[in-house]
């Protein structure tokens, strides 16, 4: 997001050997990581272990563009824990019973559990771990779908010349929403149909080859050596070899991925674009009335028994704060965090009211960092969220926001939420960090192809491709997106606020941006279609580095 021009603090050749400013601060005798362009590129594939933990790696020693987390713990943090920091996760919900998360979930000590009373008088009854602003709602339309179907009766088939001056702005919104709806709907329908066609061809081909080879999971070598006696078998073999070379050597795994894709596109058609869906009806509030606040419940893990709909939020929470060094699952970035769960992001686009109220809840109940791994390109009430962001800034709360996954230059397209004044070059506040996603490939593929970017609209980049983290029911999975990069930075921010609690939200933001590492390399963005200098893709031109951030935080805390 856009910020006033600043000159980065010089940390080159900086060596600090100063004691911390308080008892919680680590003593630092370290030199920042620099001169990464002199490092060799990693040309061998990552091992399974390296892939699972690549976000913790150190570029200078591992040639993997992680955040130097292990290096920071081993050389700076060591056995210190700092002060506890509350991080609010505004998302789809979190599995608070997960084996690697249950000990780090925030508990509202001012509320007596399950007595049906608002003991702390904060407006929410029995809010022990946060609040569920969605109630029992799960599926939702996209925002442009909601706008299109709401305005369609007023403007459908009306020429622009017939629209009154007073209604032209609304009519223009209707036209944009309609165009976006038709584009996205048709692309999703086409993708679903393509997946169905591929499945119809792949399933019989796999069945025939499996029968001939006597096994379900055959290697490239085995398939290549298999004789094909008929034209049909030759076609089957050629198709399967193409899948093995370009998608996955394991055809059963490729079929699984195909089925997941088919389910994804089919469910989008049933919910995101479905005019008949009223996902909000079960909640019972008016989502366009910011004063209607008596809704939702305290079930922050959501209503679904299989918990599949809270996978995203559970994954985000694990990246930030999964219990470190407990010999279970993974290590989250931060070691002294409590996760406040705010369920406000459905399967579809979030409502502005829910996000605004969730931000205010987080601020009022002690969160110092808010992770917002969501976003949309239409917002009927952006002022509600803007006011909440300013409220967070006034109360010294840092917001870490995912920049989006469409491979777009945000200099040309506005995304919500954001910290910009519409049409103006300045920010509404100084407490929002917008995060782009890194790939684990150091070199031209450093930026995730899906990641949005922008010289004045994205602040910094962090690991966001194939991130291994917690998922519901004590499981772990790879997910990717700027949604995964943002919580990595929230974890870094939490560590800084833990050891340097006197630093303001803006100081923490600037420390993270200014202490990052950069490269002079030209990289590919926009799904690999555009070449750009890495330094031109964000405000800072940097990728987040915890090791450097702690060194700089120590210096800033003494100024």
């Amino acid at each position: 997001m856009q910020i006033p021009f600043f000159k980065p603090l010089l940390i080159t050749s900086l060596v600090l050997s100063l004691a911390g400013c308080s008892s919680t601060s680590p003593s630092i005798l370290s030199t920042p990581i620099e001169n990464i362009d002199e490092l060799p590129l990693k040309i061998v594939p990552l091992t399974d272990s390296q892939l699972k933990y690549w976000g913790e790696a150190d570029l200078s020693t591992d040639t993997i563009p992680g955040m130097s987390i292990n290096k920071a713990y081993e050389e700076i943090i060591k056995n210190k824990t700092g002060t506890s920091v509350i991080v609010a996760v505004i998302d789809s919900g979190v599995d608070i019973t997960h084996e690697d998360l249950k000990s780090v979930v925030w508990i509202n000590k001012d509320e007596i559990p399950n007595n049906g009373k608002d003991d702390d008088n904060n407006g929410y009854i029995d809010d022990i771990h946060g609040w569920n602003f969605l109630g029992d709602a799960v599926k939702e339309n996209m925002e442009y779908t909601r706008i299109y179907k709401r305005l369609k009766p007023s403007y459908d088939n009306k020429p622009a010349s017939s629209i009154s001056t007073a209604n032209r702005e609304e009519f223009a919104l209707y036209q944009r929403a309609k165009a976006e709806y038709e584009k996205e709907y048709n692309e999703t329908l086409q993708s679903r149909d393509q997946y169905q066609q591929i499945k119809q061809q792949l399933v019989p081909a796999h069945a025939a080859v499996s029968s001939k080879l006597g096994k379900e999971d055959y290697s490239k070598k085995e398939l290549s050596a298999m004789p094909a006696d008929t034209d049909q078998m030759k076609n089957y073999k050629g198709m399967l070899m193409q899948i093995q070379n370009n998608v996955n050597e394991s055809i059963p795994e490729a079929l699984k991925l195909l089925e997941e894709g088919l389910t994804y596109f089919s469910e989008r058609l049933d919910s995101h674009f479905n005019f008949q869906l009223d996902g909000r009806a079960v909640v019972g509030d008016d989502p366009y009335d910011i004063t209607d606040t008596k809704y939702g419940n305290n079930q922050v893990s959501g209503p679904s028994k299989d918990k599949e709909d809270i996978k995203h939020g559970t994954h985000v929470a694990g990246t930030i704060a999964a219990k470190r060094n407990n010999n279970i699952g993974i290590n989250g970035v931060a070691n002294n965090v409590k996760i406040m769960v705010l369920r406000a992001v459905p399967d579809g686009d979030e409502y502005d009211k829910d996000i605004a109220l969730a931000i205010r809840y987080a601020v009022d109940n002690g969160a110092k960092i808010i992770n917002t791994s969501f976003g949309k390109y239409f917002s009927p009430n952006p002022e509600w969220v803007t006011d909440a962001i300013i409220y967070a800034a006034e109360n010294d709360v840092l917001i870490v926001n995912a920049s989006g996954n469409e491979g777009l230059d945000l200099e040309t397209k506005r995304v919500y939420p954001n910290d910009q004044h519409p049409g103006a070059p300045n920010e509404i506040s100084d407490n929002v960090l917008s995060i782009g996603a890194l790939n684990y490939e150091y070199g031209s593929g450093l930026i995730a192809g899906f990641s949005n970017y922008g010289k004045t609209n994205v602040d910094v980049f962090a690991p966001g491709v194939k991130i291994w983290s917690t998922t519901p029911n004590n499981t772990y999975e790879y997910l990717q997106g700027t949604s995964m990069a943002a919580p990595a930075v929230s974890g870094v921010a939490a560590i800084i606020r833990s050891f340097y609690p006197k630093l303001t939200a803006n100081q923490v933001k600037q420390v993270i941006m200014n202490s990052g590492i950069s490269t002079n390399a030209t990289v590919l963005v926009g799904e690999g279609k555009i070449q750009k200098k890495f330094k031109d893709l964000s405000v800072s031109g940097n990728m987040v580095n915890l090791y450097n951030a702690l060194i700089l935080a120590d210096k800033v805390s003494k100024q």
Side-chain angles (χ1 to χ4, degrees), residues 171-197:
F171 179 65
L173 173 63
Y174 164 76
Q175 288 181 308
R176 286 198 303 116
K178 178 182 178 182
E180 188 73 9
Y181 173 89
E182 291 176 345
K183 170 181 171 292
E184 291 291 329
Y185 173 82
N186 289 329
E187 287 180 358
T188 303
L189 183 64
Q190 183 180 26
S191 295
R192 186 204 62 181
D193 291 346
Q194 287 176 341
Y195 272 56
Q196 285 179 332
Q197 292 170 5

Side-chain angles (χ1 to χ4, degrees), residues 144-208:
Y144 50 78
T145 304
R146 295 194 288 254
I147 293 170
Y148 179 28
K149 72 180 182 182
R150 177 167 57 88
L151 298 180
K152 192 173 188 293
S154 300
Y155 297 110
D156 197 30
N157 296 322
K158 287 189 176 181
S161 59
S162 69
I163 306 302
S164 67
T165 302
N167 291 332
R168 282 177 186 170
E169 186 175 340
E170 186 176 75
F171 179 65
L173 173 63
Y174 164 76
Q175 288 181 308
R176 286 198 303 116
K178 178 182 178 182
E180 188 73 9
Y181 173 89
E182 291 176 345
K183 170 181 171 292
E184 291 291 329
Y185 173 82
N186 289 329
E187 287 180 358
T188 303
L189 183 64
Q190 183 180 26
S191 295
R192 186 204 62 181
D193 291 346
Q194 287 176 341
Y195 272 56
Q196 285 179 332
Q197 292 170 5
I198 294 170
K199 181 181 178 181
Q200 289 171 357
Q201 298 174 52
L202 186 56
V203 169
H206 176 57

